[in-house]
Amino acid sequence: MSLLAWIEQTGLSVWIREAPTLWAFPFILFLHTLGLAFLVGINVAFNLWIVGFSDRYPMAPLERLFPVMWAGFWVNAASGFLLLIAYPAKALTDEVFYLKMGLITACLVQLNWLRQQVFVERDASIARILSARVRQVAIVILIFWAGAILAGRFLAYTYNIMMAGEAML
Amino acid sequence: MDSFIDWILATPPSYFILHYGWVWPVSETLHFIGLVLMAGTVGVFDLRLLGLGKGIAPAPLHKLLRWGIAGFVISVLTGLLFISGAPDQYFFNSAFHVKLACLTLTGINVVLFYSLEFRAVRAMGPFDTAPLRARLMAGASFVLLIAVMCAGRMLTFFRPPTVY
């Protein structure tokens, strides 16, 4: 807890929390929303394509969307890290935060497996019927992303401690 | 205006969102899911017309837009629910005014696209380049989508003082 209280007193943490400019906390929150939109959004396009169109249209061209998805991921890793620096105790003392991280990790692991199944060389350039297992995983990933969004939203409501420094008094 | 706000606060949706603590966060989650559905379908369709993702046929991407429409409906319904819970926090909020203006421009853009360019876009093959006017409309759509998200996220920071 004292480590968290120390983080709260660093210049970066204070600036994100208290700087009277929209470029501090508000802008970082916007970036986190923007990253979410494209990280999960590309998953929506990719996974729904697997379920609905893979037997009629080739999967290969969809791989070009992946850099946009990864850009969204890194924007969110960075903006999430800054939000964590601003209020370390708020997230780290709330179980919901670990649920969110677990769901995101599960999404990325499954997505990696799915990518290996779908973008098999030469096979990806023709339309083909994907196995039921592949299609099930595509749907599970979308449900897990919805769970991660739910957990992320509830973080704003379920926290026990806002500031470690105040909780220690 | 005050009597209009009082009237909204007396409606069942207003009672629903203010009376049960879980309704607001669950609605926010749905609002975000709606946003993601739009970004993943409308946003990706825009990107394809702009030239990213050559090789993807526009026709199946366009079929995915039904999920984007579902996302839009979810977002409008949950958005109305938020307004019913705290009307003054939206009506007197300049970020909300910007958001409404961007949504109106988006609506005009959609009408223009479907009346002028959709026919040409639907006939495009996987590797075809969209006509210039369609690319401009896709660019406008993409920028407005991000502007709507930005204005929405800024609502919290442009709140008027609470009167109610």
Side-chain angles (χ1 to χ4, degrees), chain B residues 26-110:
Chain B
V26 167
S27 302
E28 284 180 331
T29 304
L30 291 171
H31 205 67
F32 272 88
I33 287 173
L35 170 159
V36 161
L37 288 173
M38 286 185 272
T41 58
V42 181
V44 168
F45 187 68
D46 292 339
L47 287 176
R48 169 61 188 88
L49 295 190
L50 289 168
L52 189 125
K54 280 271 176 71
I56 306 175
L61 267 192
H62 187 262
K63 280 193 192 150
L64 282 183
L65 285 184
R66 66 187 62 162
W67 289 90
I69 294 169
F72 180 72
V73 171
I74 291 169
S75 290
V76 168
L77 291 177
T78 48
L80 288 171
L81 198 55
F82 299 138
I83 294 171
S84 78
D88 58 308
Q89 292 296 307
Y90 295 91
F91 295 159
F92 304 114
N93 187 322
S94 46
F96 183 66
H97 303 156
V98 171
K99 184 168 179 173
L100 283 187
C102 290
L103 283 169
T104 308
L105 290 174
T106 301
I108 294 169
N109 194 42
V110 166

Side-chain angles (χ1 to χ4, degrees), chain A residues 58-133:
Chain A
M59 292 295 298
L62 288 177
E63 207 167 13
R64 299 193 189 162
L65 294 174
F66 272 61
V68 181
M69 188 189 77
W70 286 116
F73 172 78
W74 287 112
V75 164
N76 270 21
S79 56
F81 177 74
L82 292 173
L83 294 171
L84 198 56
I85 293 290
Y87 293 99
K90 192 179 171 190
L92 294 175
T93 60
D94 186 345
E95 305 81 4
V96 176
F97 176 73
Y98 300 97
L99 175 65
K100 177 178 171 177
M101 292 301 117
L103 285 168
I104 293 171
T105 308
C107 282
L108 295 177
V109 169
Q110 293 182 94
L111 194 64
N112 188 45
W113 179 82
L114 198 57
R115 188 180 188 173
Q116 287 167 3
Q117 303 298 310
V118 168
F119 296 125
V120 189
E121 232 181 314
R122 88 194 146 69
D123 266 17
S125 57
I126 50 162
R128 66 195 166 107
I129 296 170
L130 295 165
S131 69
R133 174 124 183 86

Side-chain angles (χ1 to χ4, degrees), chain A residues 22 25-27 29-30 33-34 36-38 40-42 44-46 48-49 53 56-58 61-62 64-65 68 146 149-151 153-154 156-157, chain B residues 24-26 28-29 32-33 35-37 39-41 44 47 52-57 59-61 63-64 67 127 142 146 149-150 153-154 157-158:
Chain A
L22 289 176
F25 197 72
F27 182 65
L29 268 184
F30 161 62
T33 310
L34 186 66
L36 162 77
F38 288 97
V40 186
I42 302 288
V44 166
F46 177 64
L48 288 179
W49 190 293
F53 302 131
R56 277 167 291 157
Y57 299 93
L62 288 177
R64 299 193 189 162
L65 294 174
V68 181
I149 295 173
L150 183 73
R153 214 51 296 235
F154 269 75
Y157 299 86
Chain B
W24 203 294
V26 167
E28 284 180 331
T29 304
F32 272 88
I33 287 173
L35 170 159
V36 161
L37 288 173
T41 58
V44 168
L47 287 176
L52 189 125
K54 280 271 176 71
I56 306 175
L61 267 192
K63 280 193 192 150
L64 282 183
W67 289 90
F127 290 93
F142 193 74
I146 291 173
M149 287 183 215
C150 184
R153 192 61 269 197
M154 289 303 122
F157 307 100
F158 287 86

Side-chain angles (χ1 to χ4, degrees), chain A residues 136-155:
Chain A
Q136 283 158 7
V137 169
I139 293 168
V140 169
I141 290 176
L142 289 176
I143 293 168
F144 274 35
W145 277 128
I149 295 173
L150 183 73
R153 214 51 296 235
F154 269 75
L155 277 175

Side-chain angles (χ1 to χ4, degrees), chain B residues 45-46 48-49 56-62 65 113-114 116-126 128-135 137-138:
Chain B
F45 187 68
D46 292 339
R48 169 61 188 88
L49 295 190
I56 306 175
L61 267 192
H62 187 262
L65 285 184
F113 176 77
Y114 280 100
L116 299 174
E117 292 300 320
F118 180 56
R119 210 184 253 262
V121 166
R122 193 170 45 180
M124 279 167 64
D128 290 345
T129 302
L132 177 65
R133 215 162 49 173
R135 270 181 282 157
M137 288 172 181

